[in-house]
Amino acid sequence: MKYLDVRLRLPRETMHPMLEFIADEDVVAYEELLTWNVLEERGVEYELFYVVADREPYREQVASVDSIRWFELTPIDEDSQYLYVCQETRPEERDWRAAFASLDLLVVPPIRYQNDGSFDITLLGDGEDLRAVVDGLPDDVETTVLEVGDYDRRHPRVTSDVTDRQLEAARVAVDVGYYERPREGSLADVARELDVAESTASNLLQEAESRIMHALVDD
């Protein structure tokens, strides 16, 4: 059984409003789609997201999206929350998803969103079907193959669940001496290099640290 890690970036004119928001505004530090249920016959889908973001600006944006019928935003702590949403399936989503429709594949959650509006998907299946996905995507969908191999959940990559933005924050933190003992750089130094608020820098580092440590000890 093979897996394919692929990054997709839709053209701006077909990008979901929430992806545009992630790309354009410094509000979302991390977001992933945990699980979903697409009801084709009803033209709707139910989705559960995990989000680290400034809550009120994020809530306002979700409420402004025309395709979203209703949503529940459930706080976890000061910065993180679950978003449970029911939304109409947009024609733009149907177009790129058509590349998956007739293939014997599984999508392995979560789907991870990057700060430029792209998103990372892990697919499982036969090698021919995985190649067919890449070939079958619309030409205007920017496609980057991140990794291909034999699937083995027992040995996940240490950075498999870390977004580019989180990895960038971790690299900056190392460069400024944030992880030296004794510490040579401060959180303010990290935030300054990333050009973000200290709270955002803290969120990025905490998410990266949590995911890396879980990967290290995962059996």
Side-chain angles (χ1 to χ4, degrees):
M1 180 173 54
K2 299 289 186 181
Y3 75 90
L4 167 68
D5 284 348
V6 63
R7 177 167 298 168
L8 305 179
R9 191 173 193 277
L10 306 182
R12 192 74 179 195
E13 60 270 19
T14 65
M15 192 177 285
H16 192 282
M18 292 306 298
L19 293 183
E20 289 188 277
F21 183 70
I22 291 173
D24 294 344
E25 305 295 335
D26 185 22
V27 172
V28 179
Y30 181 77
E31 182 165 344
E32 64 182 15
L33 175 56
L34 297 173
T35 189
W36 57 89
N37 185 19
V38 179
L39 304 179
E40 293 285 357
E41 69 280 4
R42 291 170 52 190
V44 298
E45 47 200 72
Y46 297 87
E47 296 159 333
L48 179 65
F49 297 84
Y50 170 71
V51 187
V52 180
D54 292 339
R55 186 162 296 135
E56 288 312 311
Y58 186 82
R59 185 195 300 274
E60 290 174 8
Q61 173 63 20
V62 174
S64 74
V65 176
D66 291 339
S67 62
I68 294 178
R69 292 186 176 181
W70 55 259
F71 69 93
E72 296 179 14
L73 198 62
T74 304
I76 302 170
D77 54 31
E78 183 178 351
D79 300 300
S80 60
Q81 46 257 306
Y82 291 115
L83 172 66
Y84 179 39
V85 62
C86 172
Q87 66 174 324
E88 299 167 7
T89 302
R90 301 163 66 245
E92 295 87 346
E93 263 68 57
R94 288 194 181 96
D95 289 345
W96 70 264
R97 290 174 183 172
F100 302 75
S102 60
L103 301 173
D104 297 328
L105 295 173
L106 289 175
V107 179
V108 182
I111 295 175
R112 297 174 296 277
Y113 298 95
Q114 305 296 329
N115 65 321
D116 64 350
S118 63
F119 50 97
D120 296 353
I121 299 180
T122 298
L123 300 170
L124 293 186
D126 178 79
E128 290 298 323
D129 281 339
L130 294 175
R131 280 188 287 273
V133 166
V134 177
D135 293 339
L137 285 164
D139 292 339
D140 58 359
V141 176
E142 185 179 319
T143 306
T144 305
V145 174
L146 303 175
E147 191 163 303
V148 181
D150 294 314
Y151 186 73
D152 188 350
R153 184 61 182 83
R154 298 172 303 164
H155 306 294
R157 289 165 294 132
V158 170
T159 60
S160 61
D161 287 337
V162 179
T163 68
D164 285 354
R165 188 60 165 158
Q166 292 166 1
L167 194 56
E168 177 189 11
R171 286 180 176 139
V172 167
V174 169
D175 289 344
V176 302
Y178 182 77
Y179 290 115
E180 296 297 324
R181 293 293 180 267
R183 181 168 287 169
E184 296 174 1
S186 67
L187 185 60
D189 295 327
V190 177
R192 188 178 308 109
E193 291 295 320
L194 294 172
D195 193 25
V196 299
E198 283 191 41
S199 60
T200 301
S202 177
N203 286 335
L204 289 168
L205 292 178
Q206 288 178 31
E207 287 293 327
E209 292 161 4
S210 173
R211 292 170 191 281
I212 288 171
M213 295 308 296
H214 276 91
L216 281 173
V217 301
D218 194 342
D219 293 327

